[in-house]
Amino acid sequence: PESAEPATEGEAGVGEAAEPTAETSPAGGNAPTLKRGDLVEGTILSTSPTLITVDVGASKEGIVPGHELERMNRHTLESLKVGEKIQAYVVNPHDHNGNIVLSINRALEEIDWQTAEEYRKSQQIYESRIAGYNKGGLIVRFGRLRGFVPQSQMSMERRRELTGETPEDRWGSMVNEPIVVKLMEVDR
């Protein structure tokens, strides 16, 4: 197997996720205090084209704003139904309107980072497809993340196929081919 190092794409890795805290809320109740970066499980209470309301427990509701919904693919949007349990990332525990602002995209991304770390620790192989290339090697998808396989870490079989002067000549024909990798490094 070749080795890959996940790289960020878009907003990947912005704000490190934290474990939910056991502190109590300022109101004096026993409800956990949410903070930026927490990954929480919630239940969808309502949906509209511009907002999703989520019960995050302890009589607290969070919102997934419209700009977040606009960035989702159709399949993900269609899966967001009232009563469904979802994972959400706390973007802002208390915005200017007092709302808990959540991100489903960042939650999915955070889960991918955690999964990548598990693959790195276990050295389990990961099967994917080659998504692209740059001058130094191949780009491989890992969920919503991208991994980099340097030319020096490619299998001998793949290196034998390399011909041409430009990255496009060397690796262009490999795009969409299956690849098996081991994660050597996870770098947010």
Side-chain angles (χ1 to χ4, degrees):
E2 293 145 300
S3 63
E5 301 169 9
T8 61
E9 176 176 85
E11 296 180 27
V14 175
E16 201 167 315
E19 291 299 314
T21 177
E23 297 172 21
T24 57
S25 65
N30 290 329
T33 300
L34 296 177
K35 61 184 185 294
R36 177 176 162 65
D38 283 348
L39 199 57
V40 297
E41 183 176 65
T43 304
I44 297 175
L45 297 174
S46 66
T47 65
S48 76
T50 59
L51 185 78
I52 292 179
T53 306
V54 180
D55 176 356
V56 293
S59 301
K60 292 185 179 183
E61 293 180 4
I63 60 165
V64 180
H67 64 84
E68 165 90 1
L69 302 176
E70 291 169 4
R71 296 186 312 165
M72 291 182 183
N73 64 42
R74 183 181 188 144
H75 175 72
T76 303
L77 280 171
E78 290 173 352
S79 71
L80 300 173
K81 305 225 182 287
V82 173
E84 289 291 317
K85 293 230 182 267
I86 61 165
Q87 293 287 320
Y89 178 97
V90 178
V91 175
N92 188 344
H94 189 80
D95 73 0
H96 62 281
N97 293 324
N99 296 313
I100 300 170
V101 181
L102 304 172
S103 170
I104 296 169
N105 287 320
R106 283 193 183 175
L108 293 171
E109 196 172 86
E110 179 59 30
I111 291 166
D112 285 343
W113 279 113
Q114 291 172 3
T115 303
E117 186 60 34
E118 289 169 14
Y119 270 85
R120 185 197 64 77
K121 284 180 182 174
S122 72
Q123 285 298 289
Q124 181 181 350
I125 61 170
Y126 181 77
E127 295 180 37
S128 187
R129 293 205 168 265
I130 298 170
Y133 53 87
N134 61 28
K135 68 180 183 174
L138 302 173
I139 306 296
V140 177
R141 286 260 168 236
F142 189 95
R144 291 174 171 245
L145 308 176
R146 296 179 308 147
F148 176 67
V149 181
Q151 181 177 335
S152 63
Q153 295 294 313
M154 288 182 208
S155 66
M156 286 302 289
E157 181 181 315
R158 235 181 254 286
R159 281 190 275 176
R160 273 191 226 112
E161 294 176 23
L162 298 178
T163 58
E165 296 296 314
T166 67
E168 185 174 351
D169 292 340
R170 288 191 294 273
W171 296 307
S173 64
M174 293 182 191
V175 173
N176 286 324
E177 283 185 5
I179 188 168
V180 177
V181 298
K182 280 189 179 180
L183 277 73
M184 305 306 290
E185 188 177 319
V186 175
D187 185 9
R188 290 184 186 233

